[in-house]
Amino acid sequence: MRSALAALLACGALAGAALAGAAPARGAQRAEEIAPGVEYREFDLRSAGGVAHAHLISVDLNNRHVRVGLLHPAAVAARGTVSRMADAQGAVAGVNGDFFHISETQHPGVAATGSAVGPEIAAGRALKAAVPRGQRFGPALPPGATTEDVLGVGTDRTARLDRLSLAGSVSTPEGELTIRGLNQYALPVGSVGAYTADWGSVSRLRATCGTDSSRRAPCSTDTYEVTVRGGRVVATADGPGSGAIAAGTTVLVGREAGAQQLRKMFVGEEVQVRHQLVAASGTAYAFAVGGFPVLRGGVPLPGLDHSASAVRSGVGIAGGGHRLLLLALDGSPGYRTGLTVAELAATLRSLGATQGFNVDGGGSSTLVARERGESVVSVRNHPSGGAERAVANGIGVFAS
């Protein structure tokens, strides 16, 4: 394992040095095996803004005793630190995940949900779908990217970049409605969204605020909610509610045209709700997390930002989808210059990745791994905020 990663770093440094704007790995200072098939390494990187310090977990997916999964708190609308989520789920290492609904200043009195921007799949089960593009948090997306972009590992144990779209419907004796949201903090204008026990207890009001093109737009004044249990409508309300949703229960939230459709339903009416996340590639995923692509086929995507340096986290796919590289920069004061998104792509390429994915950065960038002989993880980088930030999700590495 160690010799394989060393070869990747050596070859990657040569490839990166030949690429304009690259930040090839150099000066590796520490390497250790976390578990068979899982290695931790830290090293310095050159960037236009100075020297950055990187922390890297290399994961061999060919090792049948190793798997990658979603780190997540008890609910979609909740947050937890990477270390706490990793320990709760028994991960040996991990890195922070998707951008998320971190604050809610435009709509006084409306709670921030802490929910991720993009889709989530955990242990093969879809937890949520993507919010509209105009409702996302995070840096500008590169051309062609969407909030449906994911990094995932299929049931075939192969990592890929893909897109996950929502397919869902509400069937009644009178007809069928399309579901355009699943456990997400923002619904498309005029739509109906489904909320399950996975959502948690946070108010669903935020789902009806903003528009498809503006997170700051006012909350809708035309909303409605229908609760379905056991195949029948059991309650209705004039607006989104809050509180935990019981297992086996689905709450339908509508805004504008969606609200008008839900108002036609009545208590006791038979209703069938279906929803699933569909991959553009047709792959069945065991795990998926949102973010945006920065590297495809070994080539950085056009239009990546090359001006704003920041502490960043990213994921590279190497070895034909059988090796994952989890990268997080150090946020200590001596390395605050960080990398641009373009430099992140070049760095992942220099490490041997052919596909690259950007996840949340800044104060969210956190990489954890167990020390030898320990049963809990340690934070290996220095989060730029001085302490771990609670985040929506993460990428966990599990070893048996």
Side-chain angles (χ1 to χ4, degrees):
M1 176 70 178
R2 190 163 298 171
S3 60
L5 184 57
L8 270 178
L9 290 171
C11 295
L14 292 174
L19 178 66
R26 68 172 179 84
Q29 289 129 16
R30 185 183 180 193
E32 65 182 89
E33 186 180 68
I34 303 301
V38 184
E39 185 176 82
Y40 165 76
R41 186 176 289 267
E42 58 177 308
F43 48 84
D44 288 339
L45 294 167
R46 294 194 304 269
S47 71
V51 177
H53 193 67
H55 301 258
L56 179 74
I57 298 289
S58 177
V59 185
D60 181 7
L61 294 175
N62 282 321
N63 189 317
R64 289 287 170 176
H65 297 288
V66 175
R67 67 177 177 87
V68 174
L70 188 75
L71 296 179
H72 58 100
V76 167
R79 295 197 287 162
T81 63
V82 177
S83 63
R84 182 171 296 179
M85 291 188 292
D87 287 339
Q89 294 176 230
V92 299
V95 71
N96 65 286
D98 197 4
F99 303 90
F100 60 95
H101 182 202
I102 190 170
S103 63
E104 190 57 55
T105 58
Q106 292 83 24
H107 308 104
V110 177
T113 66
S115 174
V117 168
E120 291 179 344
I121 292 179
R125 188 163 61 91
L127 297 183
K128 71 175 298 292
V131 303
R133 183 182 182 124
Q135 294 267 19
R136 66 180 294 273
F137 287 76
L141 292 176
T146 79
T147 55
E148 294 182 344
D149 284 308
V150 295
L151 166 88
V153 176
T155 54
D156 60 358
R157 297 181 57 83
T158 302
R160 299 174 178 85
L161 301 188
D162 210 336
R163 284 185 179 169
L164 292 176
S165 58
L166 177 65
S169 63
V170 180
S171 300
T172 71
E174 286 72 39
E176 188 171 280
L177 310 178
T178 298
I179 291 177
R180 296 181 61 199
L182 172 63
N183 291 330
Q184 56 201 59
Y185 67 80
L187 294 173
V189 171
S191 73
V192 173
Y195 293 79
T196 69
D198 291 323
W199 170 253
S201 59
V202 174
S203 170
R204 298 174 289 276
L205 178 59
R206 178 58 185 80
T208 61
C209 298
T211 65
D212 300 357
S213 59
S214 174
R215 202 173 71 215
R216 297 170 175 80
C219 298
S220 175
T221 57
D222 186 4
T223 63
Y224 202 70
E225 188 170 90
V226 170
T227 301
V228 177
R229 185 183 306 118
R232 293 185 181 275
V233 175
V234 296
T236 62
D238 288 331
S242 61
I245 299 171
T249 299
T250 300
V251 176
L252 302 174
V253 176
R255 56 177 299 177
E256 297 91 31
Q260 294 164 28
Q261 291 175 315
L262 291 184
R263 287 192 185 96
K264 298 176 183 178
M265 297 183 182
F266 54 89
V267 173
E269 184 176 20
E270 292 184 5
V271 175
Q272 204 165 37
V273 182
R274 302 182 185 89
H275 47 73
Q276 62 176 329
L277 292 179
V278 180
S281 68
T283 300
Y285 282 99
F287 147 78
V289 68
F292 61 85
V294 295
L295 184 70
R296 289 188 188 277
V299 178
L301 269 63
L304 297 179
D305 180 75
H306 56 79
S307 58
S309 292
V311 176
R312 300 189 188 279
S313 297
V315 185
I317 301 174
H322 297 288
R323 184 178 297 278
L324 271 185
L325 304 172
L326 310 181
L327 180 79
L329 297 185
D330 205 287
S332 61
Y335 298 109
R336 284 291 173 81
T337 51
L339 298 175
T340 67
V341 174
E343 287 174 330
L344 174 66
T347 297
L348 293 172
R349 180 190 178 193
S350 79
L351 293 168
T354 55
Q355 316 294 324
F357 201 66
N358 186 83
V359 290
D360 197 7
S364 298
S365 284
T366 308
L367 186 143
V368 302
R370 288 186 187 176
E371 299 277 2
R372 186 175 295 278
E374 296 295 327
S375 60
V376 296
V377 299
S378 300
V379 180
R380 298 301 184 98
N381 70 331
H382 296 86
S384 60
E388 277 191 89
R389 171 186 286 171
V391 295
N393 58 33
I395 303 167
V397 182
F398 302 85
S400 59

